[in-house]
Structures are given as structure tokens and as C-alpha cells.
Amino acid sequence: MLHANHAQTIQQLKKIVGEQHVLTDDQHTRLYRQGRRFGEGKVLAVVVPANLLEQWQVLQAAVDADCIVIMQAANTGLTGGSTPYGDDYDRPVVLISTRRLAGIQVINDGKQVICLPGATLDALERELAQYNREPHSVIGSSCIGASVLGGVCNNSGGALVRRGPAYTELALYARVTEQGKLELVNHLGVNLGQTPEEILTRLQQNQYQSSDVENSEHRCASDQHYVHDVCQVDEATPARFNADPSRLFEASGSAGKVCVFAVRLDTFEKIKSQVFYVGSNSINDLTAIRRFLLQDLPRIPIAGEYIHRVAYDIGAEYGKDTFVFIEKFGTAKVPQAFAMKDKVDGFLEKFGIRGLTDKVLQIMTHFMPNHLPKRMNQFRDLYEHHLILRIEDQDVAQVQQFLAGYFAEHRETGNYFLCDADEGRKAFLHRFAVAGAAIRYRDTHRSEVEDIVALDIALRRNDRDWLETLPKEMDEQIIHKLYYGHFLCHVFHQDYIVKKGVDPLDMEHQMWKLLDHRGAEYPAEHNVGHLYVAKPALKQHYQKLDPTNSFNVGIGHTSKLKYWKS
């Protein structure tokens, strides 16, 4: 039975966006209430506005009704950071989905863009193709429909070494003041008028001139320091991580503690490149290559991705359908496929059937021919560690000379080859198919698997002993360890598939102690969500943005109560 005030709030929301765009039934809200890998909870309603003005009006109604607001873009996060968590909130939760708010406005001759809340990385990549330019991230998250704003709010990305994590100091957002009043802050650097209604309507309808766009040197639209930071390979601190105060600025790193309406971002020139594939049985080989690339090359690589052999194998078998789907249909179709699968899973779970779609997909892909290039599979048989490097054309000869000379002296431990275009594309696609493979393994082996412990860590830049060795008693509780990541900046994703009966949270907390001992920072790029504890700098950032604790409450194990009460 709904409380009378709650029913009144729902009716008001329906007046703003229309009845069909206010979801209250558990089955209809399931897609929004559950994280892709972690977290779920209850909501009063999921509201899906059609334009920025509706988003503002929904926000105003929710704040006036003293509701908690959770802003959700594509819901592709891995730590439950854009979904509710549990049922111990002190106020009703209204989740605002920005899926209908797609919009990309190209400014400054394609050198910058303004992205509305529903803009995806995939759509941005396609929009910029005509300018021969790219966004800060071009694959990986874009495969599953990740939003541009979600990346900025979570300091995500970093696979492309020259661009670093998503970051901007130019944003249009709303916050709740200490007095509980909603205010719109226009730091977009675009003159759009005075009132929220005028600003949001003019932006939505692209009603501004190039003369309205300010280009100040005081506010940047991408990370200006990352290339310098990542090259300091002798520093005993990580290159980047979510709680780094130097990369927390208003919307950047806000993790939903404000309501963002638009961000302004730099774009990047497309660069012709080639891909090297390196295999080795010694981590020292990969360390030597990393130090050369970051210290001695005139231009640092475009990307450098690591895959351990176990992750290679699990990805090849359990990420195969993702790989084949993207090959056949492209990244644009992936979000719809995920949504359709979620609907089927939700229907089956009503009858107590879990994991059936995953098992069917797994059987189907089992009978497909091997999808990975022959030379990659040969290297899989020979070598434990795999490194995929994308190098700018003009630096290919120098890298090839170095690798040839290095492996002439270390031929007993490793080797390399220069990929053709097809091999290079498939090598990187395989690396990103690995990222979801542990989930598929869990969902098809529920009788053996308790869950996944997924860590997202930044190691020290000078760390030569980067491959972990777990204590025997922990190792015995794990079925598979998947190590992969962004090798040049020493950001690793470590997925542990743990045995039935093992407490995954207890295991994770044990892992944190080991990481603390190694001087690592975590999380590195997926943000705290409801998994990790927000470190002091991050918590202070959240409290400054959201003094009444009205947005996305409880993230980073912080207070769920109004005004941050304990």
C-alpha cells in the first residue's frame, strides 16, 4: 500500500513525463534497479524524461517531495554505483534514467563536443568519424553502450594512454544547496540565458551561436596532465585512481552526487596505427618493454593492454558470443541485445529459472568455429603473458627494432609479431570480450561458483613485481583468477571466480589488505559504487557537492541518511 504522499509524488511525475514513462512495477523496473554485475534495491519509481526541461522538472518534484535521487545513464557500471542498494534508505528513492536524452552537439570545428545525458560513447564515435576525430574512449565500455556522462562522473576510461580518464571542468549540472534548494550551475562555458528553463531549452534545441561559446584557458575539457604522470615510471605511486584529488572537479568524479545535464569534452585526431602482439613467460620482459615505450619512444603508444593466459582462455570460451555479435552487428546493437536478454532473464526468474539464456548462448557458441587469429592462439600455447600494443605509424619501425633486438637476447622467454589489420582489430576486441567473460562463467556454473570478486586496482608506477601471488589458503578458495588490464598505466582488472560456499565479501576484504600492503590504490576507474569504501578525498568531494545527501546516497559505504547523519 503506497503512502498517500508517495502516491501524490508518483502522480506528479506522471504529469511531467507521461504515465508510460513512470515505472513502478518490480518487473518493469528490474532493468534499472539491478547493476550489471553487482547491487540491487527498491525504488519508489523509475522516471524516464524525454528532454532536459522534463529532467529538471522531475528533479524539482523529487527534491520537493524529499526523495533520494539516483541518476542513471546506461547502467553499465560494475560496482552498483548507479542503482539502489538494499532497503535501508530513510527516504523514498526516485531513479531518473537518462536513456531518452541522447544528444551530441559538435562545436569548435569538431575539436570539442557537448554531450547530453543519454549520449553514448558509441554514438559519439560515429558522430566524430566525419571529422576524422575520436572521443576519449573508443572501445571497451562503448561495446556495452556506456554513456559519455557516466564516464566523466566516474573518471572512467584510460585504455587510450594519451587521453587518460574521462575528465572535464566544463559542465552544466544541478545540485541541492545546504538549505535544501535546487540550483542549476552553468559551467559549460556557453551563454544560454539566465533561468533554468531558458538555459535547458536553448541547449536542448541547440539554440546558441559560436559566439556564445567561451574558450577560456582556465577550464579544460580533458585531462591535461595524464601523459606526463603515466611516463613517470620510477614513481612509487599509481598513475591514476578514483580518489585522486587532482582528478575530482565538480561533475568529474561526482559519481551521481549532482544531476548532470551536459558536459563539454575535447575530441582527438584519429591517428594511423599498427598493432604489435607480444607473448612472454616472464613478467620482466613486459616490464622492460613498458619502460622503453614510456621513456624512450618520442610519442607514447596509443594503447597497451595485458591479458594473462587464464583470462585469454576464459574470454575465448565465455566471451565468444560477445565477440561474434560485435563482429557481425557492431557495437551499436549491443545495448539492445543486453536489454532483451535481461527481459527474458527476468521472466524466467519468476519461475525460479536462472542462467538458462546463458547456458543456451554458451551451447550455441560452442559449435561455432574458432574466432581468434591463428597466430594469437599459437602464442597462447607458448606464453603465459600477452601484451597488445597499438603504436602510431611513424613509431612502428623504432618499436619493431627494439622488440627484435630485445627478443634476440631473450628468445627463451618470449617473442612478438606485427599484426595485420584483421589480427590487430581482433586482438583488442578479444581483450574487451574478456571483461564480461567471468560473469558468463558464473551464470553457467552456479552449482560450483558462489560469485565473482572483481577488483579494479592501480599499482605503483615503479612496481616491477606486478603479478600477485596469493596466500595458499586464499588460492584454494578460487576456481579461476582472471588478470587483464591497461598495462602501461599499471591499472589491472582482477576477477576471481570463487568456489561455492566461500564468502565473496570476506574474500574481497582480505584482498584489500594485500593491496594496501603493496601500495596499490583501488578502485582505479570503475569508482566505489556500493562495493568499495570511499577514501577521505572522495568522501569530501561528495559532501561538498551534495551537503544534504540527497543524491545517490550510501555510495562508498557512506551514510544513507539525510545531512550525512551517522
Side-chain angles (χ1 to χ4, degrees):
M1 187 78 178
L2 269 182
H3 188 281
N5 288 347
H6 296 171
Q8 189 176 352
T9 301
I10 290 170
Q11 285 306 313
Q12 190 175 357
L13 295 172
K14 287 179 178 178
K15 280 184 183 176
I16 297 168
V17 301
E19 190 163 343
Q20 71 186 98
H21 299 299
V22 178
L23 312 177
T24 55
D25 178 77
D26 277 359
Q27 190 65 23
H28 295 150
T29 60
R30 183 182 184 275
L31 182 66
Y32 304 89
R33 291 185 294 102
Q34 291 189 348
R36 187 169 295 279
R37 183 182 279 177
F38 177 83
E40 65 177 294
K42 297 290 186 183
V43 295
L44 176 65
V46 172
V47 189
V48 194
N51 55 58
L52 298 180
L53 186 56
E54 281 189 7
Q55 180 173 317
W56 170 261
Q57 291 167 339
V58 167
L59 189 60
Q60 185 73 70
V63 170
D64 289 347
D66 197 26
C67 293
I68 290 164
V69 174
I70 297 177
M71 298 302 305
Q72 185 181 96
N75 194 16
T76 59
L78 301 178
T79 60
S82 61
T83 59
Y85 185 67
D87 55 6
D88 54 341
Y89 294 98
D90 64 341
R91 291 151 286 168
V93 175
V94 172
L95 190 153
I96 303 176
S97 168
T98 64
R99 286 171 181 263
R100 298 171 69 205
L101 300 175
I104 296 165
Q105 299 171 8
V106 180
I107 60 172
N108 292 338
D109 301 318
K111 293 183 176 65
Q112 288 188 327
V113 289
I114 293 172
C115 292
L116 303 192
T120 64
L121 278 169
D122 180 75
L124 181 56
E125 186 179 349
R126 285 183 276 118
E127 181 72 27
L128 290 174
Q130 60 187 304
Y131 297 92
N132 198 38
R133 298 185 75 83
E134 295 176 331
H136 76 276
S137 182
V138 293
I139 199 170
S141 296
S142 59
C143 288
I144 52 173
S147 77
V148 177
L149 263 71
V152 171
C153 292
N154 293 296
N155 292 133
S156 302
L160 297 172
V161 195
R162 301 180 186 183
R163 303 175 195 181
Y167 179 83
T168 186
E169 295 170 1
L170 299 160
L172 174 66
Y173 63 94
R175 66 190 294 270
V176 176
T177 67
E178 287 183 34
Q179 294 73 36
K181 299 295 183 186
L182 188 66
E183 68 172 8
L184 188 68
V185 179
N186 183 7
H187 287 165
L188 202 58
V190 183
N191 179 18
L192 294 163
Q194 300 301 316
T195 66
E197 292 76 13
E198 183 185 8
I199 290 168
L200 296 170
T201 302
R202 285 185 62 190
L203 179 60
Q204 180 84 55
Q205 297 175 0
N206 207 348
Q207 290 181 342
Y208 57 90
Q209 309 299 319
S210 56
S211 57
D212 292 317
V213 178
E214 301 166 3
N215 293 301
S216 168
E217 295 179 4
H218 302 296
R219 287 188 179 239
C220 59
S222 62
D223 192 329
Q224 303 296 296
H225 306 289
Y226 184 66
V227 170
H228 170 269
D229 293 350
V230 80
C231 289
Q232 308 308 303
V233 294
D234 292 314
E235 291 293 321
T237 54
R240 62 182 173 94
F241 52 97
N242 283 128
D244 180 357
S246 70
R247 294 185 170 93
L248 301 175
F249 188 92
E250 296 180 355
S252 295
S254 62
K257 297 304 285 183
V258 291
C259 172
V260 185
F261 289 87
V263 294
R264 180 171 158 187
L265 294 164
D266 289 333
T267 67
F268 301 86
E269 185 182 356
K270 267 189 178 178
I271 296 170
K272 291 184 178 178
S273 60
Q274 296 181 56
V275 174
F276 287 91
Y277 200 95
V278 178
S280 175
N281 289 316
S282 168
I283 65 170
N284 295 329
D285 288 348
L286 270 59
T287 297
I289 293 167
R290 173 177 172 265
R291 292 178 69 86
F292 162 76
L293 293 171
L294 294 177
Q295 287 187 301
D296 301 331
L297 208 60
R299 287 156 295 273
I300 65 171
I302 294 168
E305 294 295 305
Y306 169 77
I307 312 178
H308 185 271
R309 179 189 275 153
V310 174
Y312 185 106
D313 290 347
I314 299 291
E317 185 171 354
Y318 295 92
K320 187 175 182 179
D321 60 323
T322 300
F323 183 106
V324 172
F325 187 92
I326 293 169
E327 277 277 281
K328 190 168 181 63
F329 300 108
T331 56
K333 299 291 185 186
V334 175
Q336 295 99 303
F338 270 107
M340 186 182 298
K341 179 180 177 297
D342 186 84
K343 280 186 179 178
V344 175
D345 287 341
F347 175 78
L348 293 173
E349 282 181 20
K350 288 198 294 185
F351 302 97
I353 302 170
R354 294 184 72 190
L356 180 61
T357 56
D358 291 286
K359 288 176 181 175
V360 170
L361 286 167
Q362 206 51 43
I363 291 168
M364 288 168 59
T365 55
H366 178 74
F367 292 102
M368 292 180 182
N370 194 303
H371 58 296
L372 296 176
K374 182 179 178 182
R375 287 200 288 182
M376 278 175 58
N377 287 328
Q378 288 172 340
F379 265 46
R380 177 262 164 233
D381 294 340
L382 291 169
Y383 305 116
E384 181 181 359
H385 308 288
H386 298 243
L387 183 60
I388 313 163
L389 300 169
R390 185 173 293 282
I391 304 294
E392 188 171 337
D393 271 2
Q394 59 184 319
D395 298 320
V396 165
Q398 186 176 346
V399 172
Q400 187 151 19
Q401 184 181 11
F402 171 80
L403 292 175
Y406 182 88
F407 284 116
E409 296 179 16
H410 300 84
R411 61 170 56 93
E412 72 283 357
T413 55
N415 207 344
Y416 80 99
F417 64 86
L418 182 61
C419 298
D420 61 32
D422 189 59
E423 288 172 323
R425 181 176 51 77
K426 288 182 175 178
F428 274 97
L429 183 51
H430 178 54
R431 153 65 185 89
F432 291 108
V434 166
I439 300 173
R440 169 61 55 77
Y441 187 98
R442 176 198 65 191
D443 292 344
T444 53
H445 294 78
R446 288 192 178 272
S447 61
E448 308 154 36
V449 176
E450 186 65 37
D451 210 340
I452 302 162
V453 173
L455 294 178
D456 162 36
I457 67 170
L459 298 182
R460 298 171 297 189
R461 284 168 281 182
N462 67 345
D463 201 339
R464 292 172 181 267
D465 191 20
W466 46 267
L467 187 69
E468 76 173 3
T469 304
L470 291 175
K472 185 182 177 185
E473 60 272 18
M474 289 178 71
D475 210 30
E476 288 173 347
Q477 295 179 314
I478 298 169
I479 300 171
H480 291 299
K481 302 187 291 281
L482 280 68
Y483 299 133
Y484 55 98
H486 313 309
F487 186 67
L488 298 181
C489 54
H490 265 197
V491 165
F492 290 87
H493 303 299
Q494 302 185 170
D495 295 345
Y496 309 89
I497 302 172
V498 299
K499 293 178 180 177
K500 203 73 177 173
V502 175
D503 183 343
L505 282 178
D506 181 60
M507 168 77 75
E508 180 155 6
H509 295 162
Q510 291 181 61
M511 296 280 186
W512 290 353
K513 291 177 183 176
L514 297 177
L515 292 170
D516 290 340
H517 182 71
R518 294 175 68 190
E521 288 281 356
Y522 52 90
E525 62 178 7
H526 288 160
N527 223 329
V528 290
H530 290 284
L531 264 179
Y532 298 91
V533 176
K535 294 188 175 178
L538 206 53
K539 187 176 178 181
Q540 287 168 19
H541 184 55
Y542 296 158
Q543 289 177 321
K544 183 181 177 183
L545 292 172
D546 184 20
T548 64
N549 203 20
S550 297
F551 290 97
N552 208 11
V553 307
I555 57 165
H557 293 245
T558 58
S559 170
K560 285 188 171 182
L561 305 179
K562 196 169 184 179
Y563 288 105
W564 300 88
K565 292 175 182 173
S566 58

